[in-house]
């Protein structure tokens, strides 16, 4: 009886072995034809169109008085659509001396970064220029002027303007705030740079605010960074930060909501990226990694050697962003979003967006900017060698507090790459930031 049972078991094992062998040979598809596993594509918000990423400031000036329409202004889109054709001149531009018109109206389009006009007009005759500014002078009514990234000026003659185009400017700037151009004497004891500095006609009235941090769904965020969470390890650090890594890339999430994502394998790059490639990559990464809020704007692009300290980074590109609320920029020691990328992909991505929450106290008028300049002079050596490049009211975020972050109205006085900050109410010296 026992022998018979052994025979049956052995026969079953042989049949099972034959069955599994047949399945292995004939039952599985070839690897090349097998269906790949499907993973959910996680995104945040909508993808920002390429032509909307770079948003210039649009100005209308006559004499010493100027009106400005900012990217966050109510009627910005209509104004930008109205004057955008300045980037598509009828004739190729010719290099010229610096324009020097004394009377009449001026319409300026001032870009935040050096710009490729083909973002809006693929066949534009100035598509090879890297633009800083496009200008129209009523004294030179059939021409458009351009300043390139090297500070050289170009004039495009015989441009077609529909009848009454220049007169329409008043309609588009009707609700814009009024500014006045600062003269060199107003900047004493500092020197004046070669850029026009505009200050509000009336000192701004602002309030202090509490600050809230952007809240992102952590699980959704992880799925946007890692394709397969089964391969990801979770590591807790003593400072409360949590690291997620699959061995190739890593995400560090801090207790205060800030996160830092890094892919070391993408550094360094192998070639220079064209402006459109840089902007397209930035839009796609923000679409996948937290979204592009309406308050977030592109500030600057650092690309190519010697923008970086190490020579092997010469093919990398860094994009820095800033936030605007209540009509003023929010400034802190760290920008809300910073992206470093190459032609291989993203290298690192740092994000912590801080926004205004509740106002504190009644709105008050800021001190005169001349007082701010005097305070900076008292706290700065060799001030006579410094050139002022911009003065603007901002919200200065005091991120050093362990309890609550406050947004304090302040004057930002820029000297090239460095800026000094003065409390807008008390005149207290707040320090310097790059």
């Amino acid at each position: 009886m026992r022998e018979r049972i052994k025979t049956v078991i052995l026969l079953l094992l042989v049949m099972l072995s034959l069955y599994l062998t047949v399945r292995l040979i004939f039952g599985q598809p070839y690897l090349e034809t097998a269906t790949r596993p499907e993973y959910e594509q996680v995104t945040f918000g909508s993808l920002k169109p390429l032509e909307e990423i770079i948003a210039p400031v649009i100005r209308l000036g006559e004499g010493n008085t100027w009106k400005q329409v900012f990217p966050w202004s109510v009627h910005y889109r209509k104004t930008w659509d109205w004057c955008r054709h300045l980037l598509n001149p009828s004739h190729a531009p010719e290099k010229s001396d610096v324009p020097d018109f004394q009377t009449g109206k001026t319409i300026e389009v001032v870009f935040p970064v050096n710009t490729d006009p083909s973002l809006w007009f693929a066949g534009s005759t100035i598509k090879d220029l890297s633009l800083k500014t496009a200008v129209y002078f009523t004294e030179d009514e059939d021409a458009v002027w351009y300043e390139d990234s090297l500070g050289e000026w170009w004039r495009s003659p015989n441009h077609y303007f529909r009848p009454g185009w220049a007169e329409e400017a008043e309609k588009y700037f009707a609700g814009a705030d009024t500014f006045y151009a600062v003269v060199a004497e107003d900047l004493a004891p500092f020197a004046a740079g070669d850029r026009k500095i505009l200050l509000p006609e009336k000192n701004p009235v602002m309030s202090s605010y509490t600050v809230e941090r952007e809240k992102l769904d952590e699980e959704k965020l992880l799925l946007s960074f890692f394709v397969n969470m089964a391969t990801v390890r979770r590591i807790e650090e003593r400072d409360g930060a949590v690291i997620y890594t699959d061995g190739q890339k890593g995400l560090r999430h801090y207790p205060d909501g800030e996160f830092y994502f890094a892919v070391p394998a993408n550094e360094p790059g192998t070639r220079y990226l064209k402006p459109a490639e840089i902007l397209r990559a930035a839009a796609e990464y923000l679409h996948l990694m937290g979204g592009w809020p309406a308050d977030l704007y592109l500030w600057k692009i650092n690309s190519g050697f010697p923008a970086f300290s190490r020579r092997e980074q010469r093919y990398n590109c860094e994009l820095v962003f800033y936030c605007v609320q209540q009509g003023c920029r929010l400034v802190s020691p760290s920008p809300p979003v910073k992206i470093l990328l190459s032609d291989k992909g993203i290298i690192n991505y740092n994000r912590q967006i801080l926004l205004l929450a509740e106002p504190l106290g009644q709105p008050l008028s800021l001190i005169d900017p001349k007082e701010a300049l005097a305070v900076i002079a008292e706290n700065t050596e060799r001030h006579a060698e410094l050139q002022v490049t911009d003065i603007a009211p901002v919200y200065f975020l005091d991120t050093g507090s362990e309890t609550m972050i406050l947004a304090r109205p302040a004057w930002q006085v820029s000297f090239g790459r460095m800026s000094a900050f003065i409390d807008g109410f008390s005149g207290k010296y707040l320090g310097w930031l790059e």
Side-chain angles (χ1 to χ4, degrees), residues 263 265-274 277-278 281 284-285 303 312-319 340-347:
V263 189
N266 288 339
E267 183 179 14
T270 58
R271 64 177 179 84
Y272 285 108
L273 292 172
K274 297 179 180 179
E277 292 179 294
I278 296 171
E284 291 174 352
Y285 288 131
S303 60
E312 59 268 26
Q313 291 181 319
R314 63 188 178 277
Y315 294 123
N316 295 345
C317 176
E318 181 185 60
L319 296 96
L340 183 65
L341 55 87
S342 71
D343 61 302
K344 297 178 183 177
I346 194 166
I347 299 171

Side-chain angles (χ1 to χ4, degrees), residues 88-344:
N88 190 26
S90 306
H91 295 78
E94 301 174 352
K95 190 174 292 188
S96 180
D97 295 331
V98 177
D100 184 22
F101 298 101
Q102 303 297 324
T103 61
K105 295 181 181 179
T106 302
I107 297 170
E108 292 185 351
V109 178
V110 183
F111 296 98
V113 297
N114 297 331
T115 301
D116 182 357
S118 63
L119 290 174
W120 299 278
F121 300 99
S124 173
T125 58
I126 57 169
K127 63 181 180 179
D128 295 328
L129 289 181
S130 180
L131 290 190
K132 291 171 62 176
T133 313
V135 188
Y136 169 78
F137 301 98
T138 54
E139 289 183 81
D140 193 14
E141 60 182 13
D142 68 340
V144 186
W145 291 74
Y146 304 99
E147 183 185 12
D148 65 18
S149 58
L150 300 177
E152 296 180 333
W153 283 89
W154 302 74
R155 181 181 181 272
S156 180
N158 303 319
H159 183 61
Y160 171 75
F161 292 96
R162 66 175 178 270
W165 177 83
E167 288 72 22
E168 293 176 354
E170 296 297 338
K171 175 178 67 174
Y172 289 98
F173 287 87
D177 293 332
T178 304
F179 295 76
Y180 69 92
V182 178
V183 296
E185 291 76 12
D186 293 334
L187 302 177
F190 300 102
D194 57 355
R195 308 300 296 177
K196 182 167 40 266
I197 298 175
L198 301 180
L199 283 174
E201 188 177 46
K202 298 179 180 179
N203 283 347
V205 176
M206 302 169 65
S207 295
S208 296
Y209 281 82
T210 60
V211 173
E212 61 182 9
R213 296 180 173 92
E214 176 189 42
K215 295 180 177 63
L216 293 174
D217 186 325
E218 184 174 356
E219 182 178 352
K220 184 178 178 181
L221 188 65
L222 289 172
L223 290 173
S224 70
F225 283 106
F226 301 101
V227 176
N228 185 3
M229 288 301 298
T231 64
V232 178
R233 289 193 304 153
R234 184 179 188 274
I235 304 169
E236 294 187 13
E237 296 188 308
R238 293 185 182 276
D239 62 359
V242 179
I243 297 176
Y244 300 90
T245 179
D246 62 0
Q248 300 297 319
K249 50 187 178 290
L251 169 68
R252 174 177 280 136
H253 200 179
Y254 296 91
D256 60 5
E258 179 182 2
F259 66 81
Y260 177 82
F261 179 67
V263 189
N266 288 339
E267 183 179 14
T270 58
R271 64 177 179 84
Y272 285 108
L273 292 172
K274 297 179 180 179
E277 292 179 294
I278 296 171
L279 299 176
R280 186 176 294 108
E284 291 174 352
Y285 288 131
L286 282 169
H287 182 49
L288 293 171
M289 302 173 181
W292 193 316
D295 301 312
L296 188 70
Y297 297 90
L298 178 62
W299 177 22
K300 58 185 177 181
I301 299 176
N302 300 320
S303 60
F305 184 82
F308 299 90
S309 56
R310 291 167 26 205
R311 188 172 180 82
E312 59 268 26
Q313 291 181 319
R314 63 188 178 277
Y315 294 123
N316 295 345
C317 176
E318 181 185 60
L319 296 96
V320 186
F321 297 79
Y322 67 96
C323 285
V324 170
Q325 284 199 304
Q326 301 294 332
C328 290
R329 183 180 161 204
L330 278 60
V331 179
S332 65
S334 298
V337 174
K338 183 187 294 186
I339 301 175
L340 183 65
L341 55 87
S342 71
D343 61 302
K344 297 178 183 177

Side-chain angles (χ1 to χ4, degrees), residues 28-36:
Q28 299 294 328
Y30 291 106
L31 182 61
E32 292 81 358
T33 61
T35 303
R36 295 181 179 273

